[in-house]
Amino acid sequence: QVQLLESGGGLVQAGGSLRLSCAASGRTSRQYAMGWFRQAPGKEREFVAITDWNGGYAVYADSVKGRFTISRDNAKNTVYLQMSSLKPEDTAVYYCAASLEGVTTTPQGAYWGQGTQVTVSS
């Protein structure tokens, strides 16, 4: 069992920045790919970004390319999502995920965090 705890969400005006953190504990492994997904009210969960086990490769959703950056610090069992140039459309609950499936936008056996709310005002 892996436990994931997100933090860093909050309220920010359009054009601002936030950095989300996800700390992993329990039966963690450096082999886990780790990523971020988000869910807005009335919408399905959608992929945001994911990075491989050593942080050397990442995939981003088209909607966040050039604005968001994912990184990880394996010594701290933590993955980050630096979000810049935020838009109201980015408003959602952001969830951290970890999986041994490698880099994929649709993990089938991922562990999930509880989510952190990000609200971007106009």
Side-chain angles (χ1 to χ4, degrees):
Q1 185 73 28
V2 175
Q3 294 81 47
L4 303 174
L5 180 61
E6 303 96 332
S7 62
L11 175 64
V12 63
Q13 66 181 26
S17 299
L18 283 174
R19 187 180 74 161
L20 306 183
S21 299
C22 172
S25 60
R27 298 183 63 184
T28 59
S29 172
R30 292 176 59 192
Q31 298 298 316
Y32 280 106
M34 299 187 70
W36 294 90
F37 293 73
R38 66 188 182 186
Q39 186 170 18
K43 295 185 178 181
E44 296 293 326
R45 181 185 64 189
E46 67 176 357
F47 165 76
V48 176
I50 192 167
T51 187
D52 67 348
W53 70 273
N54 67 354
Y57 179 73
V59 177
Y60 297 90
D62 289 341
S63 60
V64 306
K65 286 181 179 178
R67 300 189 298 119
F68 292 10
T69 301
I70 189 170
S71 61
R72 67 190 296 170
D73 185 342
N74 286 335
K76 298 181 179 179
N77 290 327
T78 300
V79 64
Y80 305 93
L81 185 67
Q82 177 66 51
M83 307 184 295
S84 300
S85 301
L86 284 162
K87 305 174 181 179
E89 305 92 270
D90 296 317
T91 295
V93 176
Y94 284 70
Y95 296 93
C96 179
S99 176
L100 288 171
E101 300 170 63
V103 176
T104 174
T105 61
T106 56
Q108 299 302 301
Y111 293 97
W112 298 92
Q114 85 292 339
T116 185
Q117 177 71 48
V118 172
T119 302
V120 184
S121 62
S122 301

